């Protein structure tokens, strides 16, 4: 959360946007360093963030909205369950309902590589399916949904994936 706050500080400070903490975006791995340090509906310790941002009066409870943070992810739940839940959130949540919406998402590179593998399509060859987004990297994409054979499906438009900063490694 510190990384996203630092990376988006200009926007957060100017527009007073909130960072929504969504459990579905937790890292995919099971290593100990991927465990959540936050309790459900809480934030992890962000002790150095105010000094890093040069804002001693920083109000973390207004900068971050953690009501959708379930705390530690459940182990042995298929990654696709969380990916699908996030995909549905992108189109159906109160924050994005009402049309053309830009969702800025921050997280771990393994999560996003898995996201691309799931939603770029099996027949699509793309570096995003094989490589991770570099640390501090940024990528833009168009995410779409539709009904196929009566089932809601999601996809990344392969032609929309654009490197904004650094790229894949």
């Amino acid at each position: 959360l510190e990384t996203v706050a630092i990376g988006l500080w200009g926007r957060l400070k100017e527009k007073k946007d909130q960072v929504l903490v969504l459990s579905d975006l937790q890292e995919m791995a099971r290593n100990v360093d991927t465990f959540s340090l936050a309790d459900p509906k809480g934030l992890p310790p962000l002790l150095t963030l105010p000094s890093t941002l040069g804002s001693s009066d920083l109000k973390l409870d207004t900068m971050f909205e953690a009501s959708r943070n379930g705390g530690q992810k459940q182990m042995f739940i298929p990654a696709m369950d969380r990916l699908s839940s996030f995909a549905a959130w992108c189109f159906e949540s109160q924050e994005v309902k009402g049309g053309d919406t830009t969702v800025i998402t921050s997280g771990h590179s393994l999560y996003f590589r898995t996201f691309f593998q799931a939603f770029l399509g099996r027949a699509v060859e793309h570096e995003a399916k094989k490589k991770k987004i570099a640390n501090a990297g940024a990528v833009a994409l168009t995410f779409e949904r539709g009904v196929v054979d009566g089932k809601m499906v999601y996809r990344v438009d392969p032609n929309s994936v654009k490197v904004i900063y650094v790229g894949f490694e």
Side-chain angles (χ1 to χ4, degrees):
L1 292 180
E2 286 180 318
T3 304
V4 72
I6 293 166
L8 296 176
W9 179 235
R11 180 186 179 99
L12 296 171
K13 185 177 177 182
E14 179 184 323
K15 294 189 173 197
K16 306 292 185 217
D17 285 347
Q18 280 190 309
V19 174
L20 305 178
V21 182
L22 305 175
S23 293
D24 290 331
L25 293 171
Q26 283 187 26
E27 173 67 89
M28 293 292 174
R30 297 181 186 144
N31 303 338
V32 71
D33 65 339
T34 68
F35 288 12
S36 175
L37 298 178
D39 291 328
K41 300 184 190 271
L43 296 173
L46 301 169
L47 304 176
T48 62
L49 189 58
S51 63
T52 301
L53 295 176
S55 182
S56 59
D57 63 340
L58 193 63
K59 299 196 178 5
L60 297 177
D61 59 334
T62 58
M63 178 185 272
F64 297 97
E65 201 293 297
S67 66
R68 289 174 199 83
N69 177 17
Q72 175 55 37
K73 65 185 174 235
Q74 294 181 16
M75 300 305 280
F76 308 112
I77 298 294
M80 197 61 202
D81 289 0
R82 286 195 290 129
L83 291 167
S84 295
S85 179
F86 175 66
W89 180 90
C90 287
F91 294 95
E92 299 166 11
S93 72
Q94 288 302 113
E95 293 83 6
V96 298
K97 278 196 170 188
D100 231 5
T101 302
T102 298
V103 175
I104 301 171
T105 307
S106 176
H108 294 272
S109 58
L110 179 59
Y111 181 94
F112 291 111
R113 185 178 70 190
T114 306
F115 180 89
F116 282 118
Q117 289 168 344
F119 297 119
L120 269 172
R122 291 184 186 146
V124 175
E125 290 289 326
H126 199 287
E127 69 179 332
K129 293 170 73 172
K130 297 179 179 128
K131 297 179 178 180
K132 296 180 185 179
I133 298 172
N135 286 343
V139 176
L141 59 95
T142 299
F143 197 46
E144 303 168 327
R145 75 173 176 169
V147 178
V148 175
D149 296 329
K151 181 181 175 191
M152 185 65 67
V153 294
Y154 303 93
R155 81 173 200 119
V156 171
D157 175 354
N159 297 318
S160 74
V161 180
K162 305 283 184 249
V163 171
I164 303 299
Y165 184 73
V166 185
F168 299 94
E169 62 179 19

